[in-house]
Amino acid sequence: MRFLMVEDNADLAASVQERLSLDGHAVDWADSLAAAADCLAAATYDLILLDIMLPDGDGRDFLARHRAARHDTPVIVMTARSEVSDRVTVLDTGADDYITKPFDFAELEARCRAVLRRKGGSAANLRSFGGVVFDPLAATIHFDGISRELRNRELRLLEILISAPGRIFAKSQLYDRLFSYAEDVSDNAIEVYVGRLRKKLDGSGARIETVRGVGYRITE
């Protein structure tokens, strides 16, 4: 999944980027509201991590404008304010969740997972498709008594495809969802990860189809 982190503390931003990248997420960093607006104009994000006090404005105003424009990207507000009234305000403004600074990275990861599950219409970690039981938390797939582990990019690619079975994802869309601006990836990176994931799904009722000249989709 691709995240946008809007945070002016460079050390915190670097730490969050490093931690989330270990889970296979691509994280772009914006240190101001203006930079965040530029990122949103250029890419599509699965989740936004939003600080409140930024050099060029208030994150709550940014959130209000984002929701007024009918953007439904999930937003987790990161705030040092712990008063109930502050938390109520950000939730009423349109935040999907909040986390109080300083926070434990494990809690941030768990909140990201919970918000993304709700966005996908699921309250549980396990997902099933084509006889395959997919556990993104354990990074495994199970079918016909077989259990296989997924590496980070394989995991995130399967999450994208299985979120909309039958939908064709263009190669450019997959690049956009899997890699951040800072990453230098080869032109055939998507083909490599699709090939690896196909091998993991081999023997199951789910398969990844190539739609020539268009992209990829997962089918039963």
Side-chain angles (χ1 to χ4, degrees):
M1 299 295 181
R2 188 170 183 177
F3 296 172
L4 173 63
M5 179 170 48
V6 190
E7 168 63 58
D8 63 335
N9 184 316
D11 291 336
L12 175 60
S15 296
V16 172
Q17 278 184 304
E18 180 179 3
R19 181 62 179 255
L20 292 178
S21 67
L22 293 175
D23 290 334
H25 297 297
V27 184
D28 290 327
W29 171 42
D31 60 0
S32 66
L33 296 179
D38 289 342
C39 288
L40 288 168
T44 300
Y45 294 96
D46 298 288
L47 179 66
I48 298 173
L49 301 174
L50 177 64
D51 189 19
I52 292 297
M53 304 304 294
L54 292 153
D56 56 349
D58 192 314
R60 289 166 296 190
D61 295 333
F62 174 89
L63 175 60
R65 292 193 299 270
H66 191 64
R67 292 299 185 229
R70 299 188 180 278
H71 297 304
D72 62 355
T73 310
V75 176
I76 297 178
V77 169
M78 305 182 298
T79 176
R81 299 180 177 183
S82 58
E83 291 80 3
V84 172
S85 59
D86 291 320
R87 299 198 297 269
V88 169
T89 297
V90 297
L91 291 171
D92 283 344
T93 303
D96 295 86
D97 200 355
Y98 65 87
I99 189 167
T100 304
K101 297 178 182 178
F103 50 76
D104 186 274
F105 287 129
E107 180 184 0
L108 177 62
E109 291 171 318
R111 289 183 180 275
C112 289
R113 289 194 297 268
V115 166
L116 290 171
R117 284 200 305 271
R118 292 199 297 270
K119 171 67 174 176
S122 172
N125 282 316
L126 297 182
R127 305 178 193 178
S128 298
F129 180 78
V132 177
V133 177
F134 172 41
D135 186 344
L137 188 56
T140 58
I141 53 174
H142 305 271
F143 58 90
D144 295 334
I146 298 171
S147 179
R148 290 175 178 163
E149 295 184 354
L150 301 176
R151 301 182 71 177
N152 287 337
R153 298 293 188 193
E154 298 163 0
L155 166 64
R156 299 310 167 198
L157 176 58
L158 182 56
E159 274 189 320
I160 294 167
L161 295 173
I162 210 170
S163 68
R167 173 184 167 184
I168 301 173
F169 288 88
K171 187 176 176 181
S172 59
Q173 290 176 308
L174 295 176
Y175 268 115
D176 189 54
R177 298 278 293 276
L178 289 172
F179 304 107
S180 68
Y181 289 123
E183 294 178 278
D184 184 17
V185 295
S186 64
D187 291 339
N188 69 337
I190 296 299
E191 287 93 335
V192 170
Y193 288 113
V194 167
R196 291 177 181 175
L197 188 53
R198 278 177 171 150
K199 290 181 180 178
K200 298 289 177 72
L201 292 170
D202 187 38
S204 75
R207 66 192 186 103
I208 301 174
E209 291 184 346
T210 300
V211 182
R212 292 192 178 278
V214 183
Y216 302 94
R217 65 184 172 191
I218 192 166
T219 62
E220 294 187 69

